[in-house]
């Protein structure tokens, strides 16, 4: 689960699988945001190099790195923003902004390009790792919840290495 933070809200039990209650929470949050779609954006974030981290340091340490990156994202969120863990590697961010799409894109570029170094103290392999994310920004205007979910699923699948 992701850590709590004062800026924004984190869904603490979000391990959103296809038939999971957490997925339903995300869908309800998306549906409620559709009331003001011109001020709402979805950002999908996938931790870069997740599979390499998982193979080198183990699944639990790779997931710990996702939580560290989540904390980094939370520092930049406003009170109306929400962060959900979609899968072990993918985060879903709901933003509430009076900004244009280009302004939000610039904000996300700045957030995701900031260097985030973290010392991972794994039992047999400790290392300084640099965390970053691949991301996609979706305006909620002129779309549906089903289309957003399909896009998130597609993005997550594209960033999941076949085992």
């Amino acid at each position: 689960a992701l850590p709590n933070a004062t800026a924004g809200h984190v869904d603490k039990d979000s391990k959103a699988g296809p038939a999971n209650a957490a997925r339903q929470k995300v869908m309800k949050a998306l549906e409620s945001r559709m009331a003001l779609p011109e001020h709402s954006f979805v950002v999908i974030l996938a931790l870069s190099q997740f599979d390499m981290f998982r193979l080198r340091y183990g699944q639990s340490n790779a997931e710990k790195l996702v939580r560290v990156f989540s904390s980094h994202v939370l520092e930049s969120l406003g009170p109306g923003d929400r962060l959900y863990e979609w899968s072990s590697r993918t985060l879903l961010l709901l933003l509430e902004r009076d900004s244009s799409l280009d302004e939000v894109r610039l904000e996300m570029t700045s957030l995701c390009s900031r260097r985030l170094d973290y010392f991972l103290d794994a039992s047999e392999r400790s290392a300084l790792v640099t965390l970053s994310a691949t991301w996609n920004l979706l305006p909620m205007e002129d779309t549906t919840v089903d289309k957003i979910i399909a896009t998130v699923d597609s993005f997550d699948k594209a960033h999941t290495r076949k085992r």
Side-chain angles (χ1 to χ4, degrees), residues 34-87:
M34 289 306 231
L36 293 170
E38 67 276 5
H39 298 292
S40 298
F41 300 88
V42 175
V43 182
I44 313 162
L45 300 148
L47 185 66
S48 301
Q49 302 182 51
F50 179 86
D51 290 311
M52 187 272 302
F53 294 142
R54 182 179 51 77
L55 291 172
R56 189 169 288 168
Y57 306 109
Q59 183 72 26
S60 64
N61 282 315
E63 290 177 3
K64 179 179 183 177
L65 293 173
V66 173
R67 290 189 301 272
V68 168
F69 190 78
S70 299
S71 295
H72 168 71
V73 171
L74 284 168
E75 293 172 4
S76 300
L77 298 185
D81 300 335
R82 301 289 183 260
L83 180 63
Y84 299 89
E85 190 173 326
W86 187 255
S87 69

Side-chain angles (χ1 to χ4, degrees), residues 6-23:
T6 55
H9 166 80
V10 176
D11 185 349
K12 292 184 65 141
D13 59 355
S14 290
K15 287 273 188 180
N20 195 307
R23 185 180 181 100

Side-chain angles (χ1 to χ4, degrees), residues 22-156:
R23 185 180 181 100
Q24 296 302 317
K25 286 183 183 181
V26 173
M27 291 178 74
K28 285 181 183 178
L30 287 168
E31 288 167 0
S32 71
R33 290 288 173 105
M34 289 306 231
L36 293 170
E38 67 276 5
H39 298 292
S40 298
F41 300 88
V42 175
V43 182
I44 313 162
L45 300 148
L47 185 66
S48 301
Q49 302 182 51
F50 179 86
D51 290 311
M52 187 272 302
F53 294 142
R54 182 179 51 77
L55 291 172
R56 189 169 288 168
Y57 306 109
Q59 183 72 26
S60 64
N61 282 315
E63 290 177 3
K64 179 179 183 177
L65 293 173
V66 173
R67 290 189 301 272
V68 168
F69 190 78
S70 299
S71 295
H72 168 71
V73 171
L74 284 168
E75 293 172 4
S76 300
L77 298 185
D81 300 335
R82 301 289 183 260
L83 180 63
Y84 299 89
E85 190 173 326
W86 187 255
S87 69
S88 60
R89 87 179 57 247
T90 302
L91 303 171
L92 183 88
L93 179 57
L94 300 182
L95 297 177
E96 187 177 290
R97 298 287 186 279
D98 288 329
S99 310
S100 70
L101 178 62
D102 288 338
E103 291 169 324
V104 175
R105 186 175 286 118
L106 185 61
E107 177 186 351
M108 288 297 100
T109 300
S110 174
L111 172 66
C112 292
S113 65
R114 267 186 262 148
R115 185 176 176 98
L116 177 60
D117 291 326
Y118 179 77
F119 183 77
L120 179 64
D121 189 13
S123 59
E124 297 194 17
R125 288 190 156 176
S126 297
L128 181 65
V129 296
T130 300
L131 303 177
S132 62
T134 303
W135 58 278
N136 191 7
L137 173 64
L138 308 169
M140 290 187 69
E141 208 168 14
D142 300 324
T143 193
T144 66
V145 170
D146 289 339
K147 286 180 184 177
I148 291 169
I149 296 295
T151 302
V152 174
D153 283 338
S154 175
F155 184 91
D156 187 48

